Amino acid sequence: MAFWLFKSEPSTWSWQDQIAKGAAGEVWDGVRNYQARNFMRQMQIGDRGFFYHSQEEKSIIGLVEVIHAAQQDPTTDDPKWQCVTIKALQALPNAVSLYQIKALPALADMVLVRNPRLSVQPVRVEEWRIILEISGLNPPG
DNA sequence: GCCAACGTTGGC
DNA sequence: GCCAACGTTGGC
């Protein structure tokens, strides 16, 4: 199983919106960045992800699961753009802020720190575990 | 194929 | 509101 991070502006698509979709989930559409698309192509059903709010909050606030592999992005007819479907699993007991992440040397190499603009990112398993621990989720996973 | 110009994103 | 970083576009 691989781990990812999905970044969203809460004013456009929020964690609450994602929760509201329930088990059916929602397509992560609208991505027009090759790196982000390529990561989505690598995703498999059952992969886990962080849900991150940019802008004001700048925090990881929830966990999601990939429930459908990459398919045609419904917001365009251009076949080069695909997107996965994700569903909300649970909110983190405590949101983990970008400030907290930057304060930890072990997380200094996170893509979120290195390239905060990338909307879909890979997360290393060590990074995944550390963030879950900070969030108060135990045991991690 | 290179690179300058431009637009977008997101942190501060 | 500003600016740095990044990706894309288009002229050459």
Side-chain angles (χ1 to χ4, degrees), chain A residues 1-4 6 46-50 63-66 89 128 141:
Chain A
M1 187 203 306
F3 301 101
W4 311 93
F6 296 85
D47 280 1
R48 298 294 174 89
F50 289 133
L63 300 182
V64 297
E65 180 178 340
V66 176
L89 286 179
W128 182 265

Side-chain angles (χ1 to χ4, degrees), chain A residues 5-9 28 50-54 112 115-121:
Chain A
L5 183 145
F6 296 85
K7 184 167 57 65
S8 185
E9 302 180 13
W28 201 254
F50 289 133
F51 194 104
Y52 177 84
H53 272 175
S54 64
L112 190 62
N115 184 9
R117 290 184 51 184
L118 188 59
S119 60
V120 177
Q121 318 179 352

Side-chain angles (χ1 to χ4, degrees), chain A residues 3 27 36 42 44 53 61 78 82 89 102 113-114 124 129 134:
Chain A
F3 301 101
V27 285
Q42 294 173 29
Q44 299 183 343
H53 272 175
I61 60 174
D78 193 334
Q82 293 101 41
L89 286 179
K102 286 190 167 179
V113 175
R114 298 276 177 179
R124 296 195 184 103
R129 290 216 179 96
I134 298 171

Side-chain angles (χ1 to χ4, degrees), chain A residues 53-74:
Chain A
H53 272 175
S54 64
Q55 297 180 325
E56 301 294 311
E57 293 182 51
K58 284 169 291 203
S59 299
I60 296 170
I61 60 174
L63 300 182
V64 297
E65 180 178 340
V66 176
I67 60 171
H68 199 293
Q71 58 185 331
Q72 175 64 37
D73 186 324

